Amino acid sequence: MVAESIGARGVVKTVQKEWRSLPAWLRYGVVVLLIVGIFFRFYNLDRKVYWIDETSTSLRTLGYTRIEVLQEAFDGQVISAGDFRQYQRMSPEKGWGDTFNSLTGTAEHTPLYFLLARLWVSLVGHSVWTMRFLTAVFSVLAIPCLYWLCRQLFTNPAVAWTAIGLYAITPIHVLFAQEARPYSLLTIWVLLSSALLLRAMEVGKPKNWIFYGLTIAAGLYTQLLFTFVLLAQGLYVLILEGLGKRRITRNLTAFLVIAIGAVTSFIPWIVLLFVRREQVSESTSSLVGNQPLSYMIDRWVFHLNQAFLDRDLASANILIVLLAAFALYFLTRYTPPRTWLLIVLLVSVTFLCLAIPDLMNGGRRSLRIRYLFPFILSIQITFAFLFTTLAIERRGWQQKVGQLLLAGFAIAGIIACSVSSQAVVWWNKSNPRSAYYPIVAELINQQPNPLVISDGSVSDTLAFSAWLRPDVKLQLIEDFRNLQIAEGFDPVYLLNPEPENRRLLRSDYRFTLVYKDETDPDDIEERLWTVEKRRSN
């Protein structure tokens, strides 16, 4: 215990010494960015829409299944919006077993985050604020993990401080810190496992390898995407230890033993994925759809701007791609293979493992920015190295360029976070899918005695119902052939109806379009209709 205490004090003294060695402008800048970034992670946590994906998170966490909600609520009976929202509240009848059954029902999401969320809400209660608070805490905990990884990678401590300063106000990290999904927890495991791998390879002690193994097991049980991170780390060890030294080293052996152990611990979920493969395929829309190559390239380029600047710069979007490419070149030019190889592999492997299947078999895996977190984190580290090296170690025009880039990214991040913090709906909540919630709900809430009929998805309908008055009545049903519209309500609305279901009612009822969602010009949705019975001749 004494040794551990001395070790902890030594770490604190080292960090303090490194901190005092930084230029004053960088010290003050990092402090400001950390304060601002942490503030924005917790500011207006419950203001933005709790959209479809987050509603699904609550369903799983609270122990409900989609089938259960369909059977109990989508039966054609009239219920109030307040009663329908019971599926977003804690119930004494739903325990840990129900949560686990909900997670294993489709299995496309690994369970660690949801189980931690269940533990959290059992202590503090379930609400939009508490669910998002947990992910905001995870996002803050990722900051020391990023610092440690950068200290393992680079000799200059200023790179680590720059990296955490930029991370704090980078729009994508702030936005997803306020989303009840596993990506902030995934960020922790990507950073911590990489730092522990470097530490284990350097020190070689069994405890370091064991800690590394625990983090990769946790990563696998947090998100299936972590598989690509493990693959990149495995290639890193193989290239440096196996191919580089032309023999089977102790580090290579240790990695193989630990990785096999971690993957073995994940086998039960792999088996479950195979057993539930049909449900997984039905629940994962990113596996289907063919897109033109030009469109995919355009979206890849756009995602980098969206992640770091939260802006679409049109034709100028390519500038940040060129900057990223130069930063990677600069990294390989001025750091040893032990440093640049891990970053390059995390960038290339995690992106190509998503993009190649999309190009070969169709799908939109690489077009989902939330799937690109390991890729974006790695690019961010290369930016931190480039900006810091230019701004501190170089002189003349190179130093000015580095300082300008640092200031530009910091200011752009603060502005982007300021703007998005005031919005009810932002792009990470899928504008085309959730921007209509407050608008359509306001139209309905203005009526004294409305009825809302819907055949929509469980998560979508639950997410929308949060914006309705608790006393607004709903008539939910899957099959309109069994629908008998309840009487005594005026007006009667039809929400997000399938075209086929509208056709089933057209002979007896007439429809008037009330609201058309034009958020996405390429996919205009007719959201709300009024329904009136045709007069008999």
Side-chain angles (χ1 to χ4, degrees), residues 104-402:
T104 57
T106 54
E108 75 272 14
H109 292 291
T110 46
L112 181 58
Y113 164 76
F114 299 93
L115 294 177
L116 290 175
R118 172 74 195 201
L119 176 62
W120 172 246
V121 298
S122 67
L123 296 173
V124 301
H126 177 275
S127 69
V128 171
W129 193 90
T130 56
M131 289 294 288
R132 288 176 174 166
F133 181 86
L134 181 63
T135 54
V137 169
F138 287 148
S139 185
V140 172
L141 292 177
I143 292 175
C145 298
L146 176 59
Y147 174 84
W148 190 35
L149 174 58
C150 289
R151 290 302 292 119
Q152 294 292 317
L153 287 168
F154 304 105
T155 57
N156 186 354
V159 177
W161 291 104
T162 300
I164 63 173
L166 291 175
Y167 168 86
I169 48 83
T170 296
I172 189 171
H173 300 307
V174 175
L175 290 172
F176 279 89
Q178 294 194 324
E179 182 152 325
R181 299 297 279 173
Y183 302 104
S184 292
L185 183 59
L186 173 65
T187 298
I188 290 178
W189 302 131
V190 171
L191 298 171
L192 188 58
S193 67
S194 298
L196 283 167
L197 174 61
L198 293 173
R199 182 65 176 169
M201 292 178 68
E202 180 183 1
V203 176
K205 292 183 178 180
K207 69 175 184 179
N208 298 109
W209 284 108
I210 291 172
F211 288 146
Y212 168 68
L214 292 175
T215 59
I216 60 176
L220 291 171
Y221 272 102
T222 297
Q223 250 285 347
L224 292 172
L225 296 171
F226 191 84
T227 306
F228 306 142
V229 176
L230 178 58
L231 176 59
Q233 293 172 346
L235 290 173
Y236 175 74
V237 178
L238 178 63
I239 292 171
L240 279 190
E241 297 289 329
L243 301 180
K245 299 181 180 179
R246 298 176 181 270
R247 59 187 175 86
I248 300 178
T249 64
R250 290 181 60 184
N251 280 340
L252 179 57
T253 302
F255 173 82
L256 291 174
V257 170
I258 291 299
I260 290 172
V263 172
T264 300
S265 73
F266 192 58
I267 286 178
W269 205 266
I270 296 174
V271 172
L272 186 62
L273 283 169
F274 178 78
V275 172
R276 302 276 196 248
R277 59 189 181 277
E278 291 185 5
Q279 294 93 325
V280 170
S281 180
E282 292 175 0
S283 303
T284 312
S285 60
S286 62
L287 299 179
V288 298
N290 292 306
Q291 305 294 337
L293 178 60
S294 59
Y295 174 81
M296 297 187 70
I297 293 174
D298 180 67
R299 297 304 295 178
W300 294 336
V301 171
F302 170 64
H303 280 333
L304 270 182
N305 288 269
Q306 198 174 38
F308 292 104
L309 306 176
D310 206 13
R311 287 292 179 271
D312 184 356
L313 303 179
S315 58
N317 281 340
I318 193 66
L319 293 178
I320 199 169
V321 177
L322 296 176
L323 181 62
F326 178 75
L328 285 169
Y329 162 76
F330 193 86
L331 182 75
T332 59
R333 179 73 174 80
Y334 294 104
T335 61
R338 176 188 177 276
T339 295
W340 65 257
L341 183 60
L342 179 61
I343 301 301
V344 169
L345 285 172
L346 284 172
V347 168
S348 56
V349 171
T350 56
F351 175 73
L352 292 176
C353 284
L354 295 171
I356 291 176
D358 285 348
L359 294 172
M360 295 181 64
N361 303 319
R364 294 169 290 170
R365 305 163 188 84
S366 61
L367 302 184
R368 300 289 178 86
I369 194 171
R370 58 188 181 272
Y371 293 175
L372 299 173
F373 260 68
F375 168 83
I376 291 168
L377 284 166
S378 304
I379 293 293
Q380 189 156 44
I381 292 172
T382 67
F383 281 163
F385 176 73
L386 172 64
F387 300 167
T388 305
T389 303
L390 293 179
I392 295 178
E393 298 182 2
R394 302 299 170 89
R395 295 292 180 266
W397 68 269
Q398 293 187 32
Q399 185 178 62
K400 289 182 173 58
V401 168

